[in-house]
Amino acid sequence: MLQDVVSTEHLRSGFTLEGERDTYLHRIAFQMLSEASLDPAASRALILKTAESYWSGAQRHAHA
């Protein structure tokens, strides 16, 4: 069985963690984010709605 690997990159650096002990909290965080996220169809709909709202000028007028 393959072990867990976490790889994180930043603008100037990055790091890699391997093994269950070092990756445990990252796995829990990923599970929580996955459970809280929208499914692909709902994500697409939200992105389109947000883009249409922004590009239609509604957002620009709301900030003016």
Side-chain angles (χ1 to χ4, degrees):
M1 181 160 88
L2 297 174
Q3 65 182 12
D4 292 334
V5 175
V6 173
S7 179
T8 302
E9 296 178 10
H10 302 275
L11 289 174
R12 294 184 178 184
S13 66
F15 65 88
T16 301
L17 301 173
E18 296 183 31
E20 187 166 341
R21 172 181 264 174
D22 293 330
T23 61
Y24 176 75
L25 292 178
H26 290 84
R27 187 170 3 102
I28 298 300
F30 184 79
Q31 287 174 340
M32 291 176 70
L33 289 169
S34 294
E35 291 168 3
S37 67
L38 299 172
D39 62 54
S43 294
R44 238 180 264 110
L46 177 61
I47 291 167
L48 287 173
K49 179 181 173 186
T50 302
E52 289 170 355
S53 172
Y54 178 79
W55 293 112
S56 71
Q59 286 287 358
R60 283 186 231 129
H61 295 303
H63 288 79

